[in-house]
Amino acid sequence: MRKELIEKFSAIKTPFYYYDLELLKQTLRAAKTEADKYQYHVHYALKANCDAQVLATVREHGYGADCVSGNEVKCALDNGFANTQVVFAGVGKTDDEINLALDNDIFCFNCESIPELEVINELAAVKNKTANIALRLNPNVDAYTHKYITTGLEENKFGINAHELDDIIDLLKKLLNLRLIGLHFHIGSQITDFNPFKKLCSKVNEFIHLFEQKGIQFEHINVGGGLGINYKEPDTQAIPDFKTYFAIFNELLELRKGQQLHFELGRALVANCGSLISRVIYVKKGINTNFAILDAGMTELIRPALYQAYHKIENLSSDDKRNVQRYDVVGPVCESSDCFGKAVYLPETKRGHMIAIRSAGAYGEVMASNYNLREKAIGVY
Ligand SMILES: *Cc1c(COP(=O)(O)O)cnc(C)c1O
C-alpha cells in the first residue's frame, strides 16, 4: 500500500474498512467495456457491499442492481438505481418484500419455487399489476468452490429443478398477474476456473431449446454472477479477467434473435478495492507460534471463520524483510475461529503496528456483526 495512505490512516481509529475508489472505478470500467462489446446488461449484486460511496460509484458507471431482500431493493432505489434495472432474487421473499418491489415496479422477480409464484401472483392481483418474473432454474452445475458458496446443484436450496418445469408451465397459464420474461441462473461464488461457466452455457442452451419445444420464448436470459477474484495477488491481479469471462458467454451461448443477456456480478467488482485496516493490540508468545492479536476480528470480516477463506495479510508499519517471523493473526473475539490466518510470515510485528487484511471489499462490511457488543467499523476512502 502507498506511503501517503499509511500516513493518512495513522489518524483514524482502527479497525476500519478502506475502499480504494480509484481501483473500484478501474474495475467497473474494465467490466463495463467488455460487457458493452456484446450489449450485455450487468447488475451489481448489492449484497457484496452496500457502502453508499461504493454504490454511488457503481451506479455512475451504468450498472443495474441485483437484490436479495426488500431492504436491498429499497437501498438500491434510495441510492439512485433505476427501478427498471432492479432484479430481485431469493428463496424466501416475504409478502412485505414482494409488495415493496411491486409498488416500485422493479424490472424482474427471479422466482425460486411454485409457492413463491403463487404468492407474487396473488399480491400483484390485489394491486391490479402484472409482475415480470424469471424462473431461477437449477442447472446442476458444480462450481467447484467452497460448499457453502455453491448454489447451482440440485441438493442446494436455490432454484427450481428441471422435473418441476411442466407443472410450472401449466401453473403459469393460470397465474394471470405474472408475465414470464426470462430464465435465471446463478451457480455459486468465487469461481476462478472458467469451466463451470462453460458448462452453465451448455445447460442454458438446453433449457432455451426445451422451452422452445413447449412453445415458450424468452426476452431475457440472466446467468447470474460468481466470477472469482485473486485473493493471493490483490496487487498484481487486482482486476479479474472480464475479457475471457464475457467472451465465453458470447462464444458458447446460443442466444436467439433479440434475446438480452444479463449478469449479476458482486465480488468481482468490489472485493479487491477494499481492505480491513487494523492495529496490533498485543503480540503473544504461543507454544509453537506467536499470535498477533488485532483490534479487528470476525465481527468485521467473517469469511476466514465462515469458509476458511484466505485473505492476504500485510504489515503496513514495517517492511523489514531481514527479520521475518511466523504469526497466527487473530482477532479479539471470544471464538477460536476468530483467526485471519495461521502461520503467516510477516516482518517482526509489534504492538501498535498497522495491519491490512486485503480483498475485504466483498462480503466484509455487509456481514459485520456486533457480537461481543463490538462497535461498527466505518468506511474510509
Ligand atoms: C450472491 C449473488 C450474486 C453475486 O455473486 P458474486 O459471487 O458476488 O458475483 C449474483 N446473483 C445472485 C442471485 C446471488 O445470490
Side-chain angles (χ1 to χ4, degrees):
M1 236 169 227
R2 299 195 310 273
K3 190 99 195 288
E4 66 268 20
L5 273 180
I6 298 166
E7 275 158 28
K8 167 178 161 169
F9 289 171
S10 64
I12 305 170
K13 183 172 177 280
T14 50
F16 60 87
Y17 303 95
Y18 168 66
Y19 296 117
D20 179 345
L21 295 182
E22 200 41 55
L23 176 59
L24 175 61
K25 286 175 194 167
Q26 284 174 23
T27 310
L28 292 166
R29 278 197 295 266
K32 194 82 174 59
T33 304
E34 297 304 324
D36 283 352
K37 283 185 185 166
Y38 316 107
Q39 287 98 46
Y40 293 162
H41 307 272
V42 185
H43 305 269
Y44 167 63
L46 262 78
K47 76 173 190 280
N49 188 316
C50 294
D51 174 275
Q53 298 260 19
V54 169
L55 288 182
T57 311
V58 172
R59 181 183 45 76
E60 281 159 15
H61 285 74
Y63 287 77
D66 166 38
C67 304
V68 291
S69 72
N71 281 346
E72 281 191 7
V73 171
K74 191 167 179 313
C75 177
L77 297 170
D78 289 350
N79 283 278
F81 288 90
N83 63 328
T84 52
Q85 289 189 305
V86 170
V87 294
F88 182 16
V91 294
K93 302 179 188 78
T94 65
D95 294 20
D96 284 349
E97 291 177 312
I98 293 167
N99 279 325
L100 173 94
L102 287 169
D103 289 340
N104 286 288
D105 299 314
I106 63 160
F107 169 57
C108 191
F109 291 85
N110 293 331
C111 297
E112 312 220 9
S113 67
I114 289 178
E116 181 191 334
L117 290 168
E118 290 169 336
V119 170
I120 297 176
N121 183 66
E122 216 171 279
L123 297 174
V126 172
K127 296 180 188 293
N128 209 5
K129 290 194 172 192
T130 308
N132 283 343
I133 60 136
L135 299 175
R136 176 170 179 174
L137 301 184
N138 198 329
N140 203 24
V141 168
D142 196 335
Y144 298 104
T145 182
H146 189 278
K147 66 176 186 299
Y148 289 177
I149 51 175
T150 181
T151 56
L153 286 172
E154 277 167 3
E155 68 208 51
N156 297 125
K157 69 176 176 181
F158 299 99
I160 293 165
N161 290 324
H163 71 265
E164 295 172 292
L165 288 186
D166 284 331
D167 288 349
I168 287 184
I169 291 168
D170 285 342
L171 178 67
L172 284 174
K173 289 180 193 142
K174 295 179 219 137
L175 302 183
L176 301 176
N177 293 77
L178 301 184
R179 183 187 302 119
L180 177 62
I181 63 164
L183 293 179
H184 175 237
F185 304 85
H186 175 67
I187 56 173
S189 201
Q190 184 50 18
I191 302 167
T192 49
D193 167 3
F194 286 113
N195 284 315
F197 294 120
K198 293 179 185 169
K199 280 193 204 135
L200 173 63
C201 287
S202 53
K203 292 284 178 144
V204 174
N205 290 339
E206 284 172 28
F207 279 115
I208 292 175
H209 184 69
L210 191 105
F211 276 91
E212 271 176 359
Q213 286 182 321
K214 298 175 194 291
I216 301 172
Q217 288 236 6
F218 297 105
E219 285 161 69
H220 301 278
I221 302 292
N222 181 335
V223 290
L227 178 62
I229 63 136
N230 192 337
Y231 281 96
K232 293 251 147 88
E233 301 287 346
D235 295 308
T236 52
Q237 222 219 83
I239 299 179
D241 183 0
F242 294 115
K243 189 181 166 107
T244 305
Y245 175 69
F246 289 114
I248 285 173
F249 291 90
N250 177 58
E251 188 192 345
L252 299 179
L253 268 190
E254 293 156 9
L255 291 183
R256 305 302 190 251
K257 198 163 181 301
Q259 235 167 22
Q260 309 274 311
L261 189 62
H262 299 253
F263 292 81
E264 301 166 339
L265 293 176
R267 185 193 314 267
L269 299 175
V270 295
N272 267 338
C273 77
S275 297
L276 174 60
I277 309 295
S278 69
R279 281 195 180 80
V280 178
I281 314 175
Y282 302 114
V283 176
K284 171 173 156 173
K285 286 215 177 311
I287 297 188
N288 295 314
T289 185
N290 293 324
F291 294 98
I293 303 172
L294 308 185
D295 61 7
M298 63 193 286
T299 41
E300 287 71 49
L301 179 66
I302 202 175
R303 299 188 66 256
L306 194 58
Y307 357 85
Q308 290 105 35
Y310 172 89
H311 284 262
K312 186 167 183 180
I313 299 172
E314 285 170 2
N315 183 331
L316 300 181
S317 305
S318 169
D319 56 4
D320 181 3
K321 294 195 177 62
R322 290 158 306 171
N323 188 6
V324 168
Q325 298 191 19
R326 204 180 73 184
Y327 299 91
D328 283 6
V329 180
V330 301
V333 175
C334 299
E335 297 289 337
S336 296
S337 61
D338 184 27
C339 175
F340 290 117
K342 283 196 190 303
V344 180
Y345 288 86
L346 296 173
E348 185 179 9
T349 294
K350 297 184 176 148
R351 172 175 164 82
H353 277 183
M354 200 169 270
I355 302 289
I357 300 163
R358 305 291 307 277
S359 313
Y363 307 108
E365 187 172 357
V366 283
M367 284 189 171
S369 82
N370 73 339
Y371 182 42
N372 290 192
L373 291 188
R374 284 170 57 77
E375 277 169 34
K376 170 124 189 30
I378 60 164
V380 169
Y381 314 92

